[in-house]
Amino acid sequence: MIISASRRTDIPAFYWEWFQKRLQEQYVLVRNPLNLHQVSRISLRPEVVDGLVFWTKNPEPMLKQLSVLDAYAYYFQFTLNAYAADVEAALPPLAVRIEIFRQLAQKIGAERMIWRYDPILTNEEYDVSFHKEAFAQIAYGLKDHTEKCMLGFIDHYQHIRTAVGQFNIQPLRKEEIEEIAVSFRNTINEYPAIQLDTCTSKVDLRHLGIPAGLCIDKELIER
């Protein structure tokens, strides 16, 4: 069993103390978001957990207490974008987050640190040129501290259209996606240790040399 912790909220940033207690008691209760009366009890006993996958934008609270995870295989999906506080609030400055990424990689190994550049969105401020420059800056900072970068492009789901409309975020055109992807691929080609993948089946970039990857990666957990 693989525990995804979690795509609903940032457990490393905001609920690390809670999660440590769950590890101590070796179970967690998970509510079904589509049926609030349905609650499942999930075992966290090391003998039944094949791996933990942490999704986060700021795992700094975990840095000094990683030993509580010694019984588990685990890796991080660490989202690093360069958006300002209008899009991503309550985060440390980008340079601080890059340093946190580097410190964590030094502790647990670059293979356990997946860099997510996600979601890619555009408006007047965050245009294609912005993403080219931001991606190159972050890639340089992480070049010795990760083995994979996952790209994600914004999906205009019905429930977020009002929110993205406030920022004049429009669906990306195919030409924009490919221009961004080619620039990112050329940047990553400077760092052979990093594999560039997409993390959504909705955007196929294989013809540009960017394969589709897996966010929950069985082979990485087995490794």
Side-chain angles (χ1 to χ4, degrees):
M1 176 175 61
I2 298 171
I3 302 294
S4 180
S6 160
R7 297 184 71 169
R8 297 186 192 174
T9 188
D10 195 327
I11 289 175
F14 301 117
Y15 300 105
W16 175 230
E17 291 185 6
W18 169 84
F19 193 73
Q20 288 182 84
K21 186 173 182 180
R22 304 293 3 111
L23 292 176
Q24 291 169 3
E25 298 187 5
Q26 297 193 339
Y27 77 92
V28 64
L29 300 178
V30 180
R31 190 183 301 277
N32 184 338
L34 301 179
N35 181 359
L36 299 183
H37 300 291
Q38 181 182 347
V39 178
S40 301
R41 180 185 173 106
I42 308 297
S43 174
L44 294 179
R45 291 184 293 114
E47 59 267 30
V48 300
V49 174
D50 297 292
L52 300 166
V53 180
F54 293 104
W55 303 70
T56 186
K57 293 183 180 179
N58 180 18
E60 184 177 23
M62 300 177 65
L63 283 176
K64 295 181 180 180
Q65 298 170 311
L66 291 169
S67 61
V68 302
L69 299 173
D70 286 349
Y72 300 91
Y74 64 92
Y75 67 90
F76 284 81
Q77 294 270 357
F78 192 142
T79 297
L80 266 178
N81 300 318
Y83 300 118
D86 60 335
V87 172
E88 292 187 325
L91 287 175
L94 177 60
V96 173
R97 285 179 281 137
I98 290 175
E99 181 57 28
I100 291 169
F101 192 111
R102 292 160 62 98
Q103 289 181 28
L104 189 52
Q106 288 166 1
K107 287 178 179 289
I108 68 174
E111 70 278 6
R112 295 195 195 187
M113 299 296 296
I114 309 302
W115 166 32
R116 296 182 66 86
Y117 192 86
D118 171 44
I120 299 170
L121 55 85
T122 58
N123 61 11
E124 293 86 352
E125 182 174 0
Y126 305 114
D127 57 12
V128 171
S129 295
F130 166 87
H131 286 290
K132 291 179 179 179
E133 294 173 9
F135 185 86
Q137 176 191 357
I138 299 172
Y140 178 79
L142 302 183
K143 64 182 187 297
D144 299 317
H145 297 87
T146 186
E147 294 182 358
K148 181 173 287 189
C149 175
M150 304 285 285
L151 304 181
F153 295 85
I154 190 168
D155 284 315
H156 282 253
Y157 295 116
Q158 182 68 39
H159 68 282
I160 68 166
R161 286 179 183 172
T162 300
V164 299
Q166 295 175 355
F167 297 97
N168 196 29
I169 297 168
Q170 303 298 323
L172 283 156
R173 301 191 311 274
K174 181 176 183 291
E175 295 78 11
E176 291 177 306
I177 291 173
E178 296 202 345
E179 182 179 351
I180 290 170
V182 169
S183 175
F184 287 7
R185 183 200 62 198
N186 292 342
T187 294
I188 288 297
N189 284 346
E190 299 178 20
Y191 312 115
I194 303 177
Q195 169 70 42
L196 184 64
D197 291 351
T198 59
C199 64
T200 173
S201 59
K202 295 182 179 180
V203 177
D204 187 350
L205 299 176
R206 288 176 295 176
H207 61 292
L208 298 178
I210 303 174
L214 297 171
C215 296
I216 305 297
D217 190 332
K218 172 179 174 288
E219 292 186 1
L220 177 57
I221 290 175
E222 288 176 344
R223 174 183 169 190

